[in-house]
Amino acid sequence: MEYLIQQLINGLTLGAIYGLIAIGYTMVYGIIGMINFAHGEVYMIGAFISIIAFTILGPFGFASPVLAIVIVLAVALIFTSVYGWAIERIAYRPLRGSFRLAPLISAIGVSIFLQNYVHMLQGAKMKPIQPVVRGGFVLAQEGNFVVQITYLQIGIIVATVALMAGFTYLIQRTSLGRAQRACEQDRKMAALLGVDVDRTISLTFVMGAALAAIAGLIFTLYYGAVDFFIGFLAGLKAFTAAVLGGIGSLPGAMLGGVLIGLIEAFWSAYFPIAYKDVAVFGILVVVLIFRPTGLLGRPDIEKV
Amino acid sequence: MASQKFAGAVREAASVALVALLLAIPLVGFRLVDGLRGLTIDTRFDWVAWGVSAVFLGRLAIALSGTTRRLLPDLKSVGAALSNLPGGLSRFAGGAMLIGALLLPIVPFADRYVVEIAITVLIYVMLGWGLNIVVGLAGLLDLGYVAFYAVGAYSYALLSINFGWSFWLCLPVAGLLAAAFGVMLGFPVLRLRGDYLAIVTLGFGEMIRIILLNWKDFSGGPNGISSIPRPDFFGFPFARTAEEGQTTFHQLFGLEFSPMHRIVFLYYLILILAMLTNLFTLRMRRLPLGRAWEALREDEIACRALGINPTMIKLSAFALGAMFGGFAGAFFATRQGFISPESFSFIESAVILAIVVLGGMGSQIGVVIAAAFLILVPEFLRDFSQYRMVLFGMAMVLIMLWRPQGLVSHRSPSARLGGHA
């Protein structure tokens, strides 16, 4: 029982990371109907910028971890958003209106480029940092086994819930959110009614990149090590989460992320850990067979 | 007027340079170094300065001369000229290539190295042609093609080692197994939108690799499988000395023993396999099934309205593409004599896809040129291997931006109303 609770906590934390990345996939898919294959790489870049910022701050000492995290967060948000914006501007916008596979193939190119660009500039080795936040609460104890929720895990879950609330507000209540929903439904009509479609799409990419940067920062804090390859698998799993929750739906993306996180944590706990990724993809296939629209998605109507 | 234009160009270039600066600062400007006590930072602001000034000047030059406008149509017309080659000429080019390929091992400069590279190129040509059925003809994006290649390679390796089956027996079995995997994977996802297929195939490719890596009793895990039997010439092995009761290839023909015999034999073997793939595709395009693939690629809703079952048609393309991947995999295993999961990573799928895309989806000659280009250029640029993948990714994006329909040519549907076949 104690073991189960511990896995639940670990799974939720992992799920928060996947959920935040999955929102980036789902928003972009909702608005321009393409899978932003390079999104996992944006997350990796967010993690790298975080670890670089932490290392620069290092000599000044972590007198207040909260302050350090806030500074790093601001840095990671700004620079990762520029990456998100530039990717859309350079590699996707010129292909809008081209045949359907063109942006996807371009996105694969971006993904390969970014991965090897970071590899080339920062080297292939895993980059470890000292833990920034230590300590936690002990929830229960049974013999030697301690169920613990760390301050970091609490922070991650609280931050994710707050972000979700903020995002829901943004989409439902602000003019930007309204413009995004309008573009999602009918881009041409939205343009006729005075919505700046290019700007809205750019901002969608920036928002997705910002969330990916937060996910990258969380990853850096939680696992304490980053390499250039983390984006590939995380991106795949986050996409799986987006599909599981129903692509195009924000709450769905978060729900899917949490489910994938839990599945991964429980699979690692009770089954051979090497096959945890196989389990995740297996679930993707099963979901697509029985519920292609995902848990919270709307049926996809194809128009001529 | 002129000064206004200049000021505008400078503003434009400055804003682009600012973005470049923001992109470059965090990842180029700072470098993480493993120090004695954890990570330390090294700065490279000179690189940032050089890069940003290059971007500024480049953008300024483009803005002032307006070259993009003038240069691009030129490049485009070159591409268009290539794709509008008269049918006879393109057939001539194909024939010339085939004759060249047939004669390659005989020409004087063809030493072992040249023939080995030619074999590698031909493997990729075959994989490209196989994937072309799926991506080029049926318009399905398969990002996990390497999984079928892996299925073929491991089928041959395991069947020949455990049961002693010969290459010729294993080849069809490997193809069938790969096709079976294709059906198994394709059936659930082919009913859905194309984008899902891309991700599911990608996930499937990773699944196969992870399973091969971890199921040690079956696949040997990360160590792979070694000492896979080499092919023999219809029962006559390529060896210096024959085993009891066997005749070697050189004894059969009364030749001096030479290790080149086997390599040349492998070369012709892959040439034949690749040409079979090509022939199959060319014939398929004239059959109702092939026509249905192309029709489905062009307009799925119209096809459904005409009573074509999209799932079954797509499934057949997927399975047949997978089958050729399996054949190529079996050949790869027997040629290398050693396989491990490392040979079947996502990047292989990306290279094969790039060959198809670069070649112009659906074009057979395009695939040959693209495969030769993508395999030979890195071979010559060994010293720059660090930059290879960076350039590769960049090239993929640029080709999509410049000519989404592919470099060499674009195959339009084989049949079309109004008689432009």
Side-chain angles (χ1 to χ4, degrees):
Chain A
M1 186 61 204
E2 275 71 18
Y3 191 53
L4 191 119
I5 294 171
Q6 185 66 67
Q7 291 309 323
L8 193 69
I9 295 169
N10 295 348
L12 278 177
T13 320
L14 192 58
I17 299 179
Y18 290 147
L20 289 175
I21 310 173
I23 290 175
Y25 278 106
T26 234
M27 281 200 312
V28 166
Y29 191 89
I31 203 158
I32 53 174
M34 88 172 258
I35 296 174
N36 180 9
F37 197 84
H39 193 60
E41 281 6 289
V42 174
Y43 152 79
M44 178 270 291
I45 282 177
F48 249 99
I49 293 176
S50 307
I51 200 166
I52 287 173
F54 273 123
T55 314
I56 295 172
L57 284 180
F60 303 107
F62 287 113
S64 153
V66 177
L67 182 68
I69 290 174
V70 169
I71 296 172
V72 171
L73 178 65
V75 170
L77 276 182
I78 292 167
F79 286 109
T80 314
S81 301
V82 178
Y83 270 92
W85 181 85
I87 290 169
E88 194 270 337
R89 187 69 192 76
I90 296 169
Y92 304 157
R93 188 179 296 179
L95 289 173
R96 229 181 272 156
S98 185
F99 78 114
R100 210 171 40 77
L101 294 182
L104 189 55
I105 290 167
S106 176
I108 296 169
V110 172
S111 170
I112 294 173
F113 169 76
L114 287 178
Q115 216 178 76
N116 290 284
Y117 161 81
V118 173
H119 178 182
M120 196 175 83
L121 291 170
Q122 302 289 344
K125 264 168 76 182
M126 200 95 183
K127 311 285 180 202
I129 56 164
Q130 301 291 321
V132 180
V133 187
R134 294 165 201 267
F137 295 112
V138 174
L139 296 178
Q141 195 162 10
E142 190 189 69
N144 283 333
F145 190 79
V146 180
V147 180
Q148 180 179 296
I149 181 163
T150 60
Y151 297 133
L152 186 61
Q153 284 174 323
I154 296 172
I156 291 170
I157 292 168
V158 169
T160 309
V161 171
L163 275 171
M164 269 313 287
F167 243 74
T168 313
Y169 175 79
L170 188 83
I171 300 290
Q172 299 295 336
R173 293 295 156 88
T174 62
S175 59
L176 172 63
R178 205 175 311 126
Q180 278 181 321
R181 281 179 290 136
C183 290
E184 196 178 324
Q185 284 180 5
D186 190 334
R187 223 184 299 154
K188 203 179 271 174
M189 192 66 210
L192 286 174
L193 292 174
V195 174
D196 187 342
V197 174
D198 279 344
R199 181 172 160 274
T200 312
I201 292 176
S202 280
L203 281 173
T204 308
F205 272 86
V206 167
M207 275 153 58
L211 288 178
I214 297 173
L217 171 63
I218 292 175
F219 180 90
T220 308
L221 289 170
Y222 192 61
Y223 290 98
V226 168
D227 70 12
F228 73 100
F229 203 62
I230 59 168
F232 179 66
L233 264 185
L236 254 179
K237 284 183 197 160
F239 179 78
T240 305
V243 172
L244 180 62
I247 197 147
S249 146
L250 286 192
M254 208 60 229
L255 176 71
V258 169
L259 284 177
I260 296 279
L262 288 174
I263 289 162
E264 211 180 306
F266 282 107
W267 184 282
S268 318
Y270 297 106
F271 299 101
I273 192 164
Y275 291 108
K276 69 178 179 359
D277 300 334
V278 174
V280 171
F281 298 131
I283 283 160
L284 175 67
V285 174
V286 171
V287 170
L288 287 177
I289 296 172
F290 291 108
R291 217 180 138 74
T293 53
L295 297 173
L296 302 180
R298 279 161 301 173
D300 182 30
I301 301 160
E302 248 178 273
K303 285 169 284 191
V304 178
Chain B
M1 195 61 200
S3 72
Q4 218 169 25
K5 192 188 158 205
F6 186 73
V10 169
R11 253 202 310 277
E12 163 96 39
S15 58
V16 173
L18 177 70
V19 173
L21 179 70
L22 286 176
L23 289 178
I25 279 181
L27 290 173
V28 183
F30 296 100
R31 181 186 155 78
L32 291 167
V33 186
D34 299 296
L36 282 175
R37 294 162 58 208
L39 290 178
T40 51
I41 281 283
D42 192 15
T43 55
R44 283 184 299 211
F45 293 128
D46 48 337
W47 289 28
V48 177
W50 283 114
V52 171
S53 357
V55 168
F56 178 78
L57 292 177
R59 191 73 188 90
L60 190 66
I62 289 172
L64 285 180
S65 60
T67 5
T68 33
R69 307 265 137 58
R70 241 177 291 144
L71 197 67
L72 279 182
D74 279 352
L75 290 171
K76 271 188 180 152
S77 61
V78 171
L82 275 171
S83 51
N84 291 338
L85 281 183
L89 194 57
S90 120
R91 211 167 302 142
F92 171 75
M97 269 184 206
L98 180 59
I99 290 170
L102 281 172
L103 294 179
L104 178 81
I106 304 167
V107 295
F109 67 84
D111 54 2
R112 185 176 178 144
Y113 175 73
V114 170
V115 181
E116 290 275 8
I117 290 184
I119 292 175
T120 310
V121 170
L122 280 173
I123 291 179
Y124 280 93
V125 169
M126 178 166 177
L127 286 168
W129 276 340
L131 186 62
N132 208 1
I133 298 175
V134 184
V135 178
L137 292 185
L140 306 166
L141 189 55
D142 182 353
L143 294 181
Y145 193 63
V146 80
F148 305 122
Y149 187 42
V151 168
Y154 274 87
S155 311
Y156 170 64
L158 291 170
L159 287 173
S160 66
I161 285 180
N162 293 333
F163 303 113
W165 290 16
S166 77
F167 178 76
W168 299 104
L169 187 56
C170 288
L171 188 69
V173 176
L176 285 177
L177 275 172
F181 268 91
V183 171
M184 221 167 66
L185 172 73
F187 191 68
V189 285
L190 283 170
R191 294 175 301 154
L192 306 166
R193 287 195 45 159
D195 315 357
Y196 286 115
L197 181 71
I199 296 292
V200 173
T201 48
L202 175 56
F204 178 71
E206 279 299 292
M207 262 161 92
I208 292 269
R209 202 177 60 85
I210 292 168
I211 290 172
L212 289 177
L213 209 52
N214 289 297
W215 193 358
K216 296 205 176 60
D217 302 333
F218 175 71
S219 66
N223 298 330
I225 301 175
S226 51
S227 58
I228 299 168
R230 301 306 203 131
D232 46 28
F233 187 79
F234 304 100
F236 302 100
F238 293 95
R240 189 178 290 279
T241 47
E243 283 175 30
E244 268 303 303
Q246 276 189 324
T247 319
T248 62
F249 173 77
H250 66 280
Q251 286 169 343
L252 179 71
F253 288 95
L255 299 165
E256 191 80 0
F257 172 75
S258 154
M260 272 302 276
H261 288 161
R262 185 175 66 215
I263 296 164
V264 171
F265 173 68
L266 282 172
Y267 175 80
Y268 281 117
L269 182 58
I270 186 68
L271 187 63
I272 290 167
L273 286 174
M275 285 317 292
L276 276 178
T277 317
N278 182 29
L279 205 65
F280 179 85
T281 312
L282 290 178
R283 302 310 297 180
M284 267 326 267
R285 271 209 303 235
R286 298 174 181 227
L287 289 178
L289 185 60
R291 295 269 153 98
W293 288 342
E294 286 181 308
L296 214 56
R297 176 189 72 191
E298 298 299 319
D299 192 337
E300 183 169 341
I301 295 171
C303 281
R304 240 184 279 161
L306 288 171
I308 292 174
N309 178 350
T311 309
M312 294 317 289
I313 301 290
K314 285 180 188 170
L315 202 59
S316 64
F318 207 66
L320 287 170
M323 183 179 81
F324 286 110
F327 289 154
F331 175 82
F332 177 74
T334 187
R335 181 224 176 173
Q336 298 293 101
F338 164 76
I339 50 172
S340 74
E342 234 173 83
S343 312
F344 306 105
S345 59
F346 167 68
I347 208 69
E348 288 295 311
S349 291
V351 169
I352 303 166
L353 181 69
I355 287 172
V356 175
V357 172
L358 190 71
M361 285 176 246
S363 157
Q364 297 294 93
I365 282 194
V367 166
V368 179
I369 296 173
F373 182 74
L374 280 186
I375 304 304
L376 292 181
V377 168
E379 193 65 34
F380 293 130
L381 294 179
R382 282 257 153 138
D383 304 340
F384 303 94
S385 57
Q386 216 190 338
Y387 309 105
R388 206 182 108 192
M389 290 318 289
V390 173
L391 293 177
F392 181 73
M394 218 190 274
M396 241 166 126
V397 176
L398 289 178
I399 289 164
M400 273 300 116
L401 296 183
W402 168 46
R403 262 182 83 77
Q405 68 273 54
L407 262 188
V408 181
S409 64
H410 175 62
R411 244 210 80 86
S412 48
S414 301
R416 182 176 259 174
L417 281 179
H420 316 276

